[in-house]
Amino acid sequence: MITSYLIASVGTAFCSPNLLSWLGFIADESSATNVACVLFNVLAAILTVWLTTKIYRILFSPLDLYRGANSVGYVHHDSRIPKAQAVKDAQKRKKIGNSPPVFPNGWFRVLDSRSLEKGRVKSVYVFETQLAVFRNKRGTVRIVDAYCPHLGANLAVGGKVVNSDCLECPFHGWKFSGETGKLVDVPYSQKVPSFVSISTWPCCEVNGFIYIWHHCDKAEPQWRVPEAELLKDFKYVGRTEHIVHAHIQDIPENGADSAHLSHLHKPVIGSDVEQTNDSFLNYLIRHGIQAAWRPLTNPSECHLATMKIQDDVQLHIFNYEIPLVRLKFRITQIGAGAVHIYVETPIFTGLMLQNVTPIEPLQQSLTHSFYISPWIPTCIAKAFYLLETTQIERDILMWNNKTYLKKPVLMKEESALAKHRRWYQQFYSENSPRLDDQGNLFYPNKADVTDW
C-alpha cells in the first residue's frame, strides 16, 4: 500500500500542468541545471520506492528461502577448482554404504496448499516418479501419474482440469477421472476403451500441506498426519527449503543422536563449521543442550516418536557461565516424513513444521515452515528463524558428506540411536526399493527394464 501511494504521488506530480509547463520551459531554454534537478527528483522518487519496499519486506513480509543442492552443505578446499565442480565431485564420490531401502512407506509433503489453486495442475517429481497434482473445481486435491498412457505426454505440462474432476491431456485431449484414474473421454473416438487408466495416489491436506501416501506394495494408508496443535493461534513467519544429498534415514535419525547436539550445535551462529566454530562471538555465547528421544509404544501410535530438548544459551566470560535464555523444544516425529517442533521461550511460543520428501534415492527435499506468537514483530521472529536455519545447515553439512554405516560403533550413552533404527524399520517393506553396490536403484519384485 505504501509503495502504491508513492508511485501514484510521483505520477500525479509529473502530470501536473505546472510541471509540464516547466518541462516546456526547460526544452525551450535548454537549462542544464533544471534538467539535472528533474533527473535528481526522478532518481530520488525511485530510490524512495525501492527503500520503502525493502523496509516493508524486512519488517512485515514472511521469509521464504530456497537452498539448492549446491548452495550449502559443502566445503571448498581447493580454490583452483570451481565450487560447482567440487560439489559435483563430492556428490559423485560419496560412499553409498550398505544402506536401508531408499524410499520408506508413509505420508510425505509434495506441495504447500496455498500454491495450488482451484482448477490448476502442477508437475511434481518425488520418489523418482513424475506426478501431476491438481485441485479440481470442487477444491479437492488429486494426485495421478503424470504420463498419459496414449503417447506419453506429461499431463501436468499444459494439461487442464475439466468437467469438475477430470484432467485433460494437452496432446490429444484424452480425459482421465481424478478420482479413479480411468479414461472417460477420447474426443475423436466414439468408443472409450475401458481398460485404459492412470495410477492415482492417496493424498490429504493438513496443516497447510498436501501430502502423498507412498507404499511400495500400494497398500492403503495405515494412519493419518495429525493436525498441529495451536497452529491457528500462531502467525506465519516463513519457510525454508533445502535440497539434501543424503539417505533419508540420516535426517530423522538426527533426533535420537543427542550427543551431536552438545558438540556440532554448541556454537550459536554460522552454518559453516570450518569458518565459525572458532569465532569470538561463538566463544562468548554457547548452547548447553540436553535431549531425550523415545518412541511411543501404543499400537495405534507406533508410527510416532517424541523428543524433548532443553537449550540453555549461556554467556562465557573468564570461565564463568552466565545464563541468558532457556529454550524448550517439544518434538513429535510422525512417520518417516513429518516432524512437529514446538519452541517455548520466556517471551514467545513458536511452532516449526518439518517435512522431508525423497526426490531421488540420495536426494531429499527438507522444508521448515515457522509460526510464532502473533504479538512478536515479524522482523524479530525472522531473526530467530534465521538463527535456527543456520543450525539446520550445520546438520546438512554433515548429511551431505557422510555415509550410512549399517553397524556403527556406538557408546553406551547412545542407546537411543539403536532404538531409533529399530523403530524406523517399520516404514520399510520387503519390496521397498534399494540401491545396489553400484548405486543403481532396483525394485525387488519389479520386472527388469530389459523386459519392456
Side-chain angles (χ1 to χ4, degrees):
M1 183 178 294
I2 297 174
T3 303
S4 302
Y5 174 77
L6 286 171
I7 294 174
S9 301
V10 172
T12 304
F14 275 100
C15 293
S16 64
N18 292 335
L19 183 57
L20 292 176
S21 62
W22 185 38
L23 292 175
F25 170 76
I26 293 174
D28 293 339
E29 300 296 329
S30 300
S31 173
T33 302
N34 290 334
V35 169
C37 290
V38 171
L39 291 175
F40 176 81
N41 288 329
V42 171
L43 292 174
I46 294 172
L47 181 61
T48 300
V49 171
W50 180 80
L51 285 174
T52 302
T53 303
K54 287 291 184 180
I55 294 172
Y56 177 84
R57 288 178 178 174
I58 293 172
L59 294 178
F60 305 108
S61 293
L63 179 70
D64 192 354
L65 299 176
Y66 175 83
R67 303 292 194 223
N70 303 340
S71 58
V72 297
Y74 291 97
V75 294
H76 189 206
H77 287 149
D78 193 340
S79 59
R80 299 171 301 170
I81 303 174
K83 183 178 179 181
Q85 183 62 42
V87 171
K88 184 178 179 181
D89 291 342
Q91 293 174 348
K92 182 175 65 175
R93 296 166 184 167
K94 181 173 181 175
K95 185 178 178 181
I96 298 170
N98 190 1
S99 65
V102 291
F103 297 152
N105 303 320
W107 289 103
F108 299 89
R109 170 201 166 274
V110 291
L111 288 172
D112 290 357
S113 293
R114 64 179 179 273
S115 69
L116 189 66
E117 300 174 355
K118 282 186 180 180
R120 302 302 297 268
V121 57
K122 286 199 171 187
S123 178
V124 172
Y125 184 72
V126 293
F127 304 104
E128 214 170 65
T129 303
Q130 199 72 53
L131 302 173
V133 184
F134 71 95
R135 191 183 296 278
N136 66 21
K137 299 298 179 64
R138 300 190 298 270
T140 303
V141 172
R142 307 291 191 191
I143 302 180
V144 299
D145 280 358
Y147 295 122
C148 178
H150 178 213
L151 284 175
N154 191 327
L155 300 172
V157 181
K160 293 181 179 179
V161 180
V162 296
N163 300 344
S164 178
D165 192 25
C166 290
L167 190 57
E168 180 185 82
C169 177
F171 206 179
H172 298 87
W174 289 30
K175 298 178 181 65
F176 298 88
S177 166
E179 182 177 6
T180 65
K182 291 183 177 180
L183 177 65
V184 297
D185 181 48
V186 179
Y188 50 85
S189 177
Q190 296 181 350
K191 185 177 181 180
V192 178
S194 59
F195 62 87
V196 178
S197 65
I198 54 177
S199 296
T200 60
W201 296 69
C203 58
C204 68
E205 281 191 89
V206 61
N207 302 323
F209 305 114
I210 298 171
Y211 286 94
I212 187 173
W213 172 262
H214 172 270
H215 196 285
C216 63
D217 298 320
K218 306 298 181 183
E220 290 298 312
Q222 300 160 4
W223 43 271
R224 290 288 178 182
V225 179
E227 293 187 1
E229 303 172 18
L230 305 176
L231 179 60
K232 296 180 180 179
D233 297 332
F234 293 133
K235 73 174 179 180
Y236 176 67
V237 175
R239 67 185 293 275
T240 59
E241 180 174 5
H242 294 84
I243 304 302
V244 183
H245 189 70
H247 191 283
I248 184 173
Q249 189 172 322
D250 283 327
I251 298 176
E253 190 173 282
N254 221 48
D257 182 12
S258 58
H260 94 283
L261 295 173
S262 58
H263 185 76
L264 178 65
H265 297 291
K266 189 174 185 178
V268 174
I269 64 168
S271 59
D272 189 332
V273 174
E274 294 188 344
Q275 299 294 327
T276 62
N277 272 9
D278 297 326
S279 69
F280 180 70
L281 184 58
N282 279 333
Y283 177 79
L284 287 178
I285 305 176
R286 303 179 189 177
H287 290 286
I289 303 176
Q290 298 177 356
W293 176 92
R294 70 175 184 89
L296 299 190
T297 56
N298 189 320
S300 64
E301 299 178 324
C302 62
H303 60 282
L304 301 175
T306 63
M307 184 178 184
K308 292 183 179 180
I309 299 177
Q310 180 173 300
D311 181 6
D312 292 307
V313 183
Q314 303 164 342
L315 180 64
H316 286 247
I317 300 179
F318 303 116
N319 294 325
Y320 289 98
E321 297 180 356
I322 303 174
L324 293 179
V325 65
R326 171 170 290 179
L327 309 177
K328 292 183 178 180
F329 297 82
R330 179 169 55 89
I331 303 169
T332 302
Q333 185 174 342
I334 305 158
V339 181
H340 295 175
I341 306 170
Y342 291 88
V343 186
E344 296 179 8
T345 76
I347 302 175
F348 63 85
T349 303
L351 168 63
M352 189 157 53
L353 302 180
Q354 173 184 299
N355 290 286
V356 55
T357 304
I359 302 173
E360 294 179 350
L362 293 179
Q363 190 177 81
Q364 321 300 328
S365 169
L366 177 65
T367 63
H368 292 85
S369 299
F370 190 53
Y371 304 81
I372 204 168
S373 302
W375 58 84
I376 300 298
T378 301
C379 57
I380 296 177
K382 288 196 293 186
F384 178 81
Y385 189 33
L386 283 172
L387 288 174
E388 288 298 311
T389 300
T390 62
Q391 296 299 322
I392 293 167
E393 291 176 354
R394 282 178 166 261
D395 287 315
I396 293 174
L397 180 65
M398 299 299 107
W399 296 330
N400 280 359
N401 295 278
K402 74 184 293 292
T403 187
Y404 183 91
L405 296 179
K406 185 176 182 180
K407 295 181 179 180
V409 178
L410 299 178
M411 299 294 102
K412 179 182 178 181
E413 293 80 4
E414 297 175 301
S415 61
L417 269 171
K419 291 180 182 178
H420 186 279
R421 290 196 171 191
R422 291 194 294 269
W423 173 80
Y424 202 87
Q425 291 300 308
Q426 65 181 300
F427 307 119
Y428 299 130
S429 302
E430 182 180 354
N431 298 324
S432 294
R434 293 163 165 80
L435 291 178
D436 61 21
D437 293 338
Q438 286 73 43
N440 301 314
L441 183 68
F442 74 95
Y443 295 78
N445 284 345
K446 188 173 182 180
D448 190 86
V449 293
T450 57
D451 296 335
W452 300 346

